[in-house]
PDB file of all heavy atoms in Angstrom:
ATOM      1  N   ASP A  27     -12.658   4.663 -14.065  1.00 98.00           N
ATOM      2  CA  ASP A  27     -13.770   4.808 -13.108  1.00 98.00           C
ATOM      3  C   ASP A  27     -13.559   5.962 -12.140  1.00 98.00           C
ATOM      4  O   ASP A  27     -14.515   6.469 -11.556  1.00 98.00           O
ATOM      5  CB  ASP A  27     -13.926   3.517 -12.290  1.00 98.00           C
ATOM      6  CG  ASP A  27     -14.297   2.341 -13.173  1.00 98.00           C
ATOM      7  OD1 ASP A  27     -15.072   2.561 -14.119  1.00 98.00           O
ATOM      8  OD2 ASP A  27     -13.786   1.231 -12.933  1.00 98.00           O
ATOM      9  N   PHE A  28     -12.296   6.336 -11.943  1.00 98.00           N
ATOM     10  CA  PHE A  28     -11.971   7.394 -10.971  1.00 98.00           C
ATOM     11  C   PHE A  28     -11.033   8.398 -11.628  1.00 98.00           C
ATOM     12  O   PHE A  28     -10.482   8.145 -12.704  1.00 98.00           O
ATOM     13  CB  PHE A  28     -11.273   6.791  -9.733  1.00 98.00           C
ATOM     14  CG  PHE A  28     -12.104   5.778  -9.020  1.00 98.00           C
ATOM     15  CD1 PHE A  28     -12.030   4.425  -9.349  1.00 98.00           C
ATOM     16  CD2 PHE A  28     -12.994   6.157  -8.021  1.00 98.00           C
ATOM     17  CE1 PHE A  28     -12.815   3.485  -8.706  1.00 98.00           C
ATOM     18  CE2 PHE A  28     -13.778   5.215  -7.362  1.00 98.00           C
ATOM     19  CZ  PHE A  28     -13.685   3.873  -7.712  1.00 98.00           C
ATOM     20  N   HIS A  29     -10.839   9.522 -10.949  1.00 98.00           N
ATOM     21  CA  HIS A  29      -9.812  10.468 -11.387  1.00 98.00           C
ATOM     22  C   HIS A  29      -8.556  10.145 -10.578  1.00 98.00           C
ATOM     23  O   HIS A  29      -8.559  10.272  -9.344  1.00 98.00           O
ATOM     24  CB  HIS A  29     -10.281  11.899 -11.126  1.00 98.00           C
ATOM     25  CG  HIS A  29      -9.257  12.927 -11.502  1.00 98.00           C
ATOM     26  ND1 HIS A  29      -9.006  13.269 -12.812  1.00 98.00           N
ATOM     27  CD2 HIS A  29      -8.407  13.650 -10.739  1.00 98.00           C
ATOM     28  CE1 HIS A  29      -8.039  14.184 -12.841  1.00 98.00           C
ATOM     29  NE2 HIS A  29      -7.661  14.432 -11.594  1.00 98.00           N
ATOM     30  N   SER A  30      -7.506   9.697 -11.268  1.00 98.00           N
ATOM     31  CA  SER A  30      -6.271   9.311 -10.560  1.00 98.00           C
ATOM     32  C   SER A  30      -5.400  10.538 -10.327  1.00 98.00           C
ATOM     33  O   SER A  30      -5.031  11.225 -11.285  1.00 98.00           O
ATOM     34  CB  SER A  30      -5.467   8.303 -11.391  1.00 98.00           C
ATOM     35  OG  SER A  30      -6.158   7.105 -11.507  1.00 98.00           O
ATOM     36  N   ILE A  31      -5.065  10.776  -9.086  1.00 98.00           N
ATOM     37  CA  ILE A  31      -4.136  11.874  -8.777  1.00 98.00           C
ATOM     38  C   ILE A  31      -2.793  11.223  -8.438  1.00 98.00           C
ATOM     39  O   ILE A  31      -2.653  10.547  -7.410  1.00 98.00           O
ATOM     40  CB  ILE A  31      -4.650  12.730  -7.618  1.00 98.00           C
ATOM     41  CG1 ILE A  31      -5.985  13.362  -8.030  1.00 98.00           C
ATOM     42  CG2 ILE A  31      -3.645  13.823  -7.263  1.00 98.00           C
ATOM     43  CD1 ILE A  31      -6.830  13.771  -6.886  1.00 98.00           C
ATOM     44  N   CYS A  32      -1.855  11.392  -9.340  1.00 98.00           N
ATOM     45  CA  CYS A  32      -0.580  10.694  -9.235  1.00 98.00           C
ATOM     46  C   CYS A  32       0.379  11.552  -8.415  1.00 98.00           C
ATOM     47  O   CYS A  32       0.700  12.678  -8.799  1.00 98.00           O
ATOM     48  CB  CYS A  32      -0.011  10.461 -10.634  1.00 98.00           C
ATOM     49  SG  CYS A  32      -1.209   9.660 -11.719  1.00 98.00           S
ATOM     50  N   LEU A  33       0.815  10.997  -7.302  1.00 98.00           N
ATOM     51  CA  LEU A  33       1.712  11.739  -6.415  1.00 98.00           C
ATOM     52  C   LEU A  33       3.094  11.088  -6.489  1.00 98.00           C
ATOM     53  O   LEU A  33       3.211   9.866  -6.363  1.00 98.00           O
ATOM     54  CB  LEU A  33       1.140  11.678  -4.994  1.00 98.00           C
ATOM     55  CG  LEU A  33       1.699  12.609  -3.932  1.00 98.00           C
ATOM     56  CD1 LEU A  33       1.697  14.064  -4.371  1.00 98.00           C
ATOM     57  CD2 LEU A  33       0.875  12.471  -2.644  1.00 98.00           C
ATOM     58  N   GLY A  34       4.109  11.893  -6.720  1.00 98.00           N
ATOM     59  CA  GLY A  34       5.455  11.345  -6.836  1.00 98.00           C
ATOM     60  C   GLY A  34       6.478  12.454  -6.720  1.00 98.00           C
ATOM     61  O   GLY A  34       6.126  13.623  -6.551  1.00 98.00           O
ATOM     62  N   ARG A  35       7.759  12.060  -6.836  1.00 97.00           N
ATOM     63  CA  ARG A  35       8.778  13.102  -6.660  1.00 97.00           C
ATOM     64  C   ARG A  35       9.449  13.442  -7.980  1.00 97.00           C
ATOM     65  O   ARG A  35      10.329  14.291  -8.018  1.00 97.00           O
ATOM     66  CB  ARG A  35       9.794  12.661  -5.604  1.00 97.00           C
ATOM     67  CG  ARG A  35      10.433  11.336  -5.925  1.00 97.00           C
ATOM     68  CD  ARG A  35      11.303  10.828  -4.812  1.00 97.00           C
ATOM     69  NE  ARG A  35      11.740   9.483  -5.150  1.00 97.00           N
ATOM     70  CZ  ARG A  35      12.548   8.743  -4.446  1.00 97.00           C
ATOM     71  NH1 ARG A  35      13.013   9.211  -3.308  1.00 97.00           N
ATOM     72  NH2 ARG A  35      12.894   7.538  -4.828  1.00 97.00           N
ATOM     73  N   ASN A  36       9.061  12.771  -9.072  1.00 98.00           N
ATOM     74  CA  ASN A  36       9.709  13.034 -10.353  1.00 98.00           C
ATOM     75  C   ASN A  36       8.682  13.612 -11.338  1.00 98.00           C
ATOM     76  O   ASN A  36       7.833  12.896 -11.868  1.00 98.00           O
ATOM     77  CB  ASN A  36      10.316  11.727 -10.887  1.00 98.00           C
ATOM     78  CG  ASN A  36      11.074  11.935 -12.179  1.00 98.00           C
ATOM     79  OD1 ASN A  36      10.614  12.634 -13.080  1.00 98.00           O
ATOM     80  ND2 ASN A  36      12.239  11.318 -12.285  1.00 98.00           N
ATOM     81  N   LYS A  37       8.778  14.938 -11.549  1.00 98.00           N
ATOM     82  CA  LYS A  37       7.784  15.664 -12.343  1.00 98.00           C
ATOM     83  C   LYS A  37       7.692  15.129 -13.776  1.00 98.00           C
ATOM     84  O   LYS A  37       6.595  14.964 -14.321  1.00 98.00           O
ATOM     85  CB  LYS A  37       8.194  17.147 -12.348  1.00 98.00           C
ATOM     86  CG  LYS A  37       7.139  18.098 -12.788  1.00 98.00           C
ATOM     87  CD  LYS A  37       7.567  19.525 -12.406  1.00 98.00           C
ATOM     88  CE  LYS A  37       6.568  20.555 -12.838  1.00 98.00           C
ATOM     89  NZ  LYS A  37       6.688  21.017 -14.188  1.00 98.00           N
ATOM     90  N   GLU A  38       8.836  14.837 -14.378  1.00 98.00           N
ATOM     91  CA  GLU A  38       8.838  14.391 -15.783  1.00 98.00           C
ATOM     92  C   GLU A  38       8.078  13.069 -15.913  1.00 98.00           C
ATOM     93  O   GLU A  38       7.253  12.894 -16.805  1.00 98.00           O
ATOM     94  CB  GLU A  38      10.275  14.210 -16.322  1.00 98.00           C
ATOM     95  CG  GLU A  38      11.003  15.515 -16.625  1.00 98.00           C
ATOM     96  CD  GLU A  38      11.388  16.279 -15.357  1.00 98.00           C
ATOM     97  OE1 GLU A  38      11.752  15.635 -14.352  1.00 98.00           O
ATOM     98  OE2 GLU A  38      11.309  17.534 -15.366  1.00 98.00           O
ATOM     99  N   LYS A  39       8.361  12.138 -14.990  1.00 98.00           N
ATOM    100  CA  LYS A  39       7.681  10.832 -15.050  1.00 98.00           C
ATOM    101  C   LYS A  39       6.180  11.009 -14.819  1.00 98.00           C
ATOM    102  O   LYS A  39       5.365  10.338 -15.444  1.00 98.00           O
ATOM    103  CB  LYS A  39       8.249   9.883 -13.990  1.00 98.00           C
ATOM    104  CG  LYS A  39       9.624   9.315 -14.308  1.00 98.00           C
ATOM    105  CD  LYS A  39       9.913   8.201 -13.302  1.00 98.00           C
ATOM    106  CE  LYS A  39      11.369   7.843 -13.190  1.00 98.00           C
ATOM    107  NZ  LYS A  39      11.651   6.933 -12.083  1.00 98.00           N
ATOM    108  N   LEU A  40       5.823  11.923 -13.912  1.00 98.00           N
ATOM    109  CA  LEU A  40       4.402  12.144 -13.612  1.00 98.00           C
ATOM    110  C   LEU A  40       3.684  12.739 -14.814  1.00 98.00           C
ATOM    111  O   LEU A  40       2.569  12.332 -15.161  1.00 98.00           O
ATOM    112  CB  LEU A  40       4.258  13.075 -12.393  1.00 98.00           C
ATOM    113  CG  LEU A  40       4.694  12.471 -11.060  1.00 98.00           C
ATOM    114  CD1 LEU A  40       4.846  13.552  -9.996  1.00 98.00           C
ATOM    115  CD2 LEU A  40       3.693  11.419 -10.585  1.00 98.00           C
ATOM    116  N   GLU A  41       4.345  13.698 -15.468  1.00 98.00           N
ATOM    117  CA  GLU A  41       3.738  14.318 -16.662  1.00 98.00           C
ATOM    118  C   GLU A  41       3.501  13.268 -17.744  1.00 98.00           C
ATOM    119  O   GLU A  41       2.448  13.229 -18.366  1.00 98.00           O
ATOM    120  CB  GLU A  41       4.657  15.423 -17.203  1.00 98.00           C
ATOM    121  CG  GLU A  41       4.400  16.753 -16.516  1.00 98.00           C
ATOM    122  CD  GLU A  41       5.451  17.821 -16.836  1.00 98.00           C
ATOM    123  OE1 GLU A  41       6.448  17.508 -17.512  1.00 98.00           O
ATOM    124  OE2 GLU A  41       5.249  18.960 -16.391  1.00 98.00           O
TER     125      GLU A  41
END
Side-chain angles (χ1 to χ4, degrees):
D27 297 323
F28 300 91
H29 178 76
S30 294
I31 298 158
C32 308
L33 193 52
R35 56 187 173 177
N36 183 316
K37 195 166 179 275
E38 285 71 37
K39 285 191 199 171
L40 291 166
E41 274 170 354

